[in-house]
Amino acid sequence: MLRLVLLLLFAAATVPAVAAAPPAKRHLAWVGTGVQSERGAPPSRWRIHLIFDGQGNARIDYPSLHCGGVLIRRSQHGAIVRYREHIRYGRGTCIDGGTVTAWRRGNRLFWRWSGVNTRFPGIRARATLVLSRHRGR
C-alpha cells in the first residue's frame, strides 16, 4: 500500500498541468493504440476508441479485440483521474474490472491500465490517445 501511495505521489508531482475538463455539453472522442505487457510474453498492440460523456465517465471500445465497455470515474488527484473499467461485451477477450489512470496534455490523453484488482494482477497496459473530434449534444 505504501508503494502505491508513493507511486501516486510521484506521478502527481511529475505530470505536467492538464487542460481543464471539457464542458458538459460536449463529448470528447479519443483514438490510439494500446500496448499490453506481461512477464514472459511479447507485447501485444490493439486499437482504443474512447468517448467521454458530460459526467466524466466514458465508453471504451477495443475494436481489434472485439470488446469494450465503460469507464466509471472513481477519483481525481490533481490532473490524474482514476477509473474502474467494466467490460460489457467481449468478456472472453478483455479483462473486466481493471483500473485505468489517465491524464491529458493538450490534444493527447495518456492512459495506463492495471489488472491489480482482477484475476490477472501482473498485466499492465499503456496508451497515448489523440483527440479525434468534438461532438456536441
Side-chain angles (χ1 to χ4, degrees), residues 22-27 52-58 71 73 83 137:
K25 65 182 179 179
R26 289 223 187 253
H27 290 256
F52 285 92
D53 64 18
Q55 289 77 44
N57 300 315
L71 297 180
R73 187 182 186 133
Y83 302 88
R137 284 191 182 194

Side-chain angles (χ1 to χ4, degrees), residues 12 23 41-42 47 51-52 58-60 62 74 78 80 94-95 101 116 125 128 133 135:
R47 297 293 293 161
I51 299 177
F52 285 92
R59 185 182 84 219
I60 189 163
Y62 303 98
R74 307 298 284 177
I80 300 171
C94 290
I95 301 168
T101 304
V116 168
T128 301
R133 65 186 182 275
R135 288 188 355 190

Side-chain angles (χ1 to χ4, degrees), residues 30-37 43-50 60-65 108-113 124-131:
W30 303 82
V31 295
T33 301
V35 178
Q36 178 178 313
S37 60
S44 62
R45 289 177 168 64
W46 23 263
R47 297 293 293 161
I48 301 173
H49 294 175
L50 188 62
I60 189 163
D61 294 293
Y62 303 98
S64 56
L65 298 175
R108 291 187 179 184
L109 182 72
F110 298 91
W111 179 98
R112 301 291 179 266
W113 186 95
R124 304 275 188 268
R126 65 185 175 0
T128 301
L129 291 82
V130 294
L131 186 59

Side-chain angles (χ1 to χ4, degrees), residues 53-126:
D53 64 18
Q55 289 77 44
N57 300 315
R59 185 182 84 219
I60 189 163
D61 294 293
Y62 303 98
S64 56
L65 298 175
H66 308 289
C67 63
V70 295
L71 297 180
I72 304 299
R73 187 182 186 133
R74 307 298 284 177
S75 65
Q76 181 170 354
H77 301 283
I80 300 171
V81 183
R82 298 190 80 178
Y83 302 88
R84 176 73 66 210
E85 182 179 53
H86 296 284
I87 298 299
R88 299 290 189 236
Y89 69 94
R91 286 186 180 219
T93 308
C94 290
I95 301 168
D96 188 38
T99 299
V100 172
T101 304
W103 62 97
R104 180 179 176 182
R105 186 184 319 150
N107 70 340
R108 291 187 179 184
L109 182 72
F110 298 91
W111 179 98
R112 301 291 179 266
W113 186 95
S114 169
V116 168
N117 295 316
T118 72
R119 302 178 320 204
F120 305 96
I123 296 179
R124 304 275 188 268
R126 65 185 175 0

